[in-house]
């Protein structure tokens, strides 16, 4: 479940997870992790896990840091693991915000969290918010989720089905 920030719509998120579970599907949520600052974050994830949530994917990039700092991303990962969820951090990498940045911050969680790294491209916010010298010139294929395009499906609010998470 992704698009915008699903945790902003908690009643709907809970219902979608429960509905998917009633049909025999598992659920994962892509989030920026802002909710990890709440004292109720672990309880919330445990409740969602009991409803059928199996994984959280926490997205971050350099220009997210203004709104959701890296320590909050790490806290979200920690709370996800404590709730028994699979945790992946999806990182959009630049020359100043890389996989090494995340790995250093994860500390003891480093072997428990998958980090999927994708290059920042000069499109969308990257076209206007990232300096040319920050784009990584050499980059290998992403590991993890992006290699799984045709093993997962995404369904938008209109019922359209897409490979992975991208319409």
């Amino acid at each position: 479940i992704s698009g915008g920030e699903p945790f902003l719509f908690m009643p709907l998120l809970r219902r979608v997870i429960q509905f998917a579970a009633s049909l025999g599907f598992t659920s994962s949520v892509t989030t920026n992790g802002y909710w990890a600052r709440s004292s109720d974050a672990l309880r919330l994830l445990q409740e969602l896990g009991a409803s059928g949530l199996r994984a959280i994917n926490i997205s971050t990039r350099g220009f997210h840091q203004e709104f959701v700092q890296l320590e909050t991303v790490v806290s979200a990962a920690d709370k996800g693991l404590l709730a028994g969820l699979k945790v992946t951090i999806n990182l959009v990498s630049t020359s100043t915000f890389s996989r090494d940045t995340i790995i250093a911050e994860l500390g003891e969680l480093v072997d428990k969290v998958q980090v999927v790294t994708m290059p920042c491209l000069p499109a969308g916010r990257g076209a206007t918010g990232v300096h040319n010298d920050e784009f990584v010139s050499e980059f290998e294929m992403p590991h993890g989720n992006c290699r799984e395009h045709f093993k997962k499906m995404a369904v938008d609010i209109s019922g359209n089905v897409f490979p992975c998470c991208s319409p």
Side-chain angles (χ1 to χ4, degrees), residues 130-164:
V130 178
H131 295 258
N132 281 338
D133 60 344
E134 290 185 64
F135 293 111
V136 180
S137 59
E138 292 183 23
F139 191 84
E140 62 183 70
M141 274 298 290
H143 299 283
N145 292 348
C146 290
R147 292 182 181 260
E148 304 294 316
H149 271 331
F150 296 104
K151 294 181 182 176
K152 296 181 181 182
M153 66 176 182
V155 182
D156 72 11
I157 200 160
S158 300
N160 299 308
V161 179
F162 302 98
C164 191

Side-chain angles (χ1 to χ4, degrees), residues 88-154:
T88 301
I89 296 177
N90 295 326
L91 166 69
V92 177
S93 179
T94 64
S95 63
T96 58
F97 194 77
S98 68
R99 180 181 178 85
D100 293 340
T101 308
I102 298 290
I103 298 299
E105 286 294 318
L106 282 171
E108 65 187 41
L109 302 179
V110 72
D111 293 327
K112 300 173 187 169
V113 174
Q114 181 181 13
V115 178
V116 176
T117 308
M118 297 154 276
C120 183
L121 300 173
R125 194 163 177 196
T128 58
V130 178
H131 295 258
N132 281 338
D133 60 344
E134 290 185 64
F135 293 111
V136 180
S137 59
E138 292 183 23
F139 191 84
E140 62 183 70
M141 274 298 290
H143 299 283
N145 292 348
C146 290
R147 292 182 181 260
E148 304 294 316
H149 271 331
F150 296 104
K151 294 181 182 176
K152 296 181 181 182
M153 66 176 182

Side-chain angles (χ1 to χ4, degrees), residues 5-82:
E5 176 53 54
F7 281 83
L8 290 174
F9 306 96
M10 187 52 60
L12 179 59
L13 177 60
R14 186 174 282 115
R15 285 195 321 265
V16 168
I17 291 169
Q18 290 169 340
F19 181 68
S22 76
L23 297 175
F25 293 104
T26 60
S27 298
S28 65
V29 175
T30 300
T31 176
N32 63 25
Y34 81 92
W35 43 265
R37 294 179 280 215
S38 166
S39 60
D40 292 331
L42 179 57
R43 179 188 56 77
L44 171 72
L45 289 179
Q46 289 169 330
E47 289 174 3
L48 292 174
S51 294
L53 183 66
R54 296 294 170 256
I56 56 172
N57 304 301
I58 308 161
S59 293
T60 192
R61 54 201 52 141
F63 39 84
H64 273 186
Q65 298 307 296
E66 176 183 354
F67 307 103
V68 181
Q69 295 180 348
L70 198 48
E71 66 189 37
T72 303
V73 170
V74 172
S75 179
D78 186 42
K79 288 175 173 72
L81 291 169
L82 289 171

